Amino acid sequence: MAAPVMDPKTAAVAAPTKLTMGKAINMGLRAAMERDPKVIVMGEDVGKMGGVYRITDGLQKDFGEHRVLDTPLAESGIVGTAVGLAIRGFRPVCEIQFEGFIFPAFDQINSQVAKLHYRTQGMLKVPMVIRVPFGGGVGAVEHHSESPESLFAHLPGIKVVSCANPVDAYWMIQQAIESDDPVLFFEPKRRYHEKAEIDFDATPYPLWRSRVVRQGTTATLAAYGPMVKTCLDAANAAAEDGNDLEVIDLRTLSPLDLDPVFESVRRTGHLVVVSEAPGEVSIASEIASRVQQECFYSLEAPVLKVTGFDTPYPPSKVEEEYLPDLDRVLDAVDRSLAW
């Protein structure tokens, strides 16, 4: 993907530029909209307000109300309208304000978004992106801190990705928009304000690929979204005790790219999968199953999971007891190495 040409009135593109993840997504959306007039942003409060988290701030002012649409509070209507736009040649980008509000649209996603291409034997394409702020750690009320990504990764015909840092956020949102397949784009909301330097002239990493973000030899940590930073923090803490942990950012949840995980586990012999989502019948479970199938003779201990608990997301005052943290990750590493 070529680097975007930015209008001087919108942003000065200096390489590298330090941005928050939220701003990186904003600029990624802006670059995609400048490149392709068929890209449309739509959702609740995405226009004049700029979104609850201000991710779409300024887009309606610069691109107009015909390309940045404030919709009614009706997720099924948002996604259903986007399906119609997509099969007519547009590339709609829907925002689901919070992940817990996506379920009114589940029927549209499962019955239409994921199946139209297959049902029409390839005659119709559905090039649309559904942005989903997800995960906890922000002190929110009920239905605002969930991690439902495993439900959507289970659906054939739809792709699911999650960014973990501002660099990936900037490039991945553009790559998802350019994809002819429908993409659910999960954004870790508690990482929106974390910063990193973005080189706008860099070659972006492929969208459907996992990536080793920290090399190590003692054990492997596999995570995605908000848990990548938690795993990196755990790896830094483990290094003080002489344990050299490798950290893999999965990035793509459907399709899963597990080749880097297999290669890592064949070297380290130990794997801990970390996710905020409940562990029962989950992405973490699928990773554990496939690693034990592909790397059975390399494993020196069972694959362990550190996940959210199998309960509804708790009230914010006790969410820190629910969310995987550095101590839970390190405890799992210790149990794996002691096997």
Side-chain angles (χ1 to χ4, degrees), residues 231-244:
C231 287
L232 288 170
D233 292 342
N236 290 334
E240 299 177 4
D241 295 327
N243 290 324
D244 187 19

Side-chain angles (χ1 to χ4, degrees), residues 253-259 261-262 266 271 283-296 299 303:
L253 309 181
S254 180
L256 279 167
D257 174 30
L258 294 184
D259 285 345
V261 180
F262 297 154
R266 290 184 182 117
L271 175 64
I283 291 170
S285 300
E286 174 68 11
I287 296 168
S289 172
R290 288 173 59 179
V291 167
Q292 289 178 159
Q293 178 180 329
E294 295 291 330
C295 305
F296 183 79
L299 285 167
V303 176

Side-chain angles (χ1 to χ4, degrees), residues 188-208:
K189 66 171 80 78
R190 72 157 128 166
R191 307 299 184 202
Y192 273 156
H193 298 293
E194 294 178 3
K195 294 184 177 181
E197 289 189 344
I198 300 177
D199 183 354
F200 295 97
D201 295 321
T203 299
Y205 198 74
L207 180 59
W208 316 117

Side-chain angles (χ1 to χ4, degrees), residues 137-157:
V138 296
V141 296
E142 189 179 22
H143 304 312
H144 292 68
S145 300
E146 300 169 16
S147 296
E149 59 274 12
S150 293
L151 297 173
F152 298 96
H154 182 72
L155 302 178

Side-chain angles (χ1 to χ4, degrees), residues 244-273:
D244 187 19
L245 305 184
E246 184 149 298
V247 179
I248 299 177
D249 180 359
L250 295 169
R251 300 175 80 250
T252 173
L253 309 181
S254 180
L256 279 167
D257 174 30
L258 294 184
D259 285 345
V261 180
F262 297 154
E263 192 278 332
S264 179
V265 171
R266 290 184 182 117
R267 288 186 291 101
T268 67
H270 301 268
L271 175 64
V272 176
V273 187

Side-chain angles (χ1 to χ4, degrees), residues 6 178 305:
M6 304 295 289
E178 290 184 351
K305 298 186 299 181

Side-chain angles (χ1 to χ4, degrees), residues 84-271:
L85 287 165
I87 64 177
R88 295 293 293 175
F90 291 89
R91 292 183 178 269
V93 182
C94 306
E95 177 181 297
I96 303 296
Q97 200 167 78
F98 291 93
E99 71 294 303
F101 301 161
I102 198 171
F103 297 105
F106 192 92
D107 178 52
Q108 290 282 3
I109 295 170
N110 176 60
S111 301
Q112 308 300 332
V113 177
K115 293 184 171 65
L116 267 175
H117 185 68
Y118 185 85
R119 185 191 304 149
T120 62
Q121 298 183 345
M123 293 178 60
L124 294 179
K125 294 180 180 179
V126 191
M128 58 182 286
V129 175
I130 303 174
R131 292 181 43 244
V132 188
F134 82 120
V138 296
V141 296
E142 189 179 22
H143 304 312
H144 292 68
S145 300
E146 300 169 16
S147 296
E149 59 274 12
S150 293
L151 297 173
F152 298 96
H154 182 72
L155 302 178
I158 198 163
K159 295 185 175 178
V160 182
V161 300
S162 182
C163 55
N165 58 71
V167 176
D168 271 353
Y170 175 75
W171 292 114
M172 288 172 68
I173 190 63
Q174 297 178 67
Q175 293 166 317
I177 292 169
E178 290 184 351
S179 172
D180 285 336
D181 294 314
V183 179
L184 260 73
F185 193 88
F186 280 87
E187 304 167 7
K189 66 171 80 78
R190 72 157 128 166
R191 307 299 184 202
Y192 273 156
H193 298 293
E194 294 178 3
K195 294 184 177 181
E197 289 189 344
I198 300 177
D199 183 354
F200 295 97
D201 295 321
T203 299
Y205 198 74
L207 180 59
W208 316 117
R209 296 277 302 278
S210 300
R211 178 164 53 191
V212 176
V213 292
R214 187 187 193 279
Q215 295 184 334
T217 58
T218 304
T220 304
L221 303 178
Y224 59 89
M227 287 291 100
V228 174
K229 183 179 186 299
T230 301
C231 287
L232 288 170
D233 292 342
N236 290 334
E240 299 177 4
D241 295 327
N243 290 324
D244 187 19
L245 305 184
E246 184 149 298
V247 179
I248 299 177
D249 180 359
L250 295 169
R251 300 175 80 250
T252 173
L253 309 181
S254 180
L256 279 167
D257 174 30
L258 294 184
D259 285 345
V261 180
F262 297 154
E263 192 278 332
S264 179
V265 171
R266 290 184 182 117
R267 288 186 291 101
T268 67
H270 301 268
L271 175 64

Side-chain angles (χ1 to χ4, degrees), residues 39-54:
V39 177
I40 294 175
V41 173
M42 54 193 299
E44 299 162 7
D45 300 317
V46 299
K48 292 180 181 179
M49 179 184 287
V52 170
Y53 290 100
R54 304 299 186 264

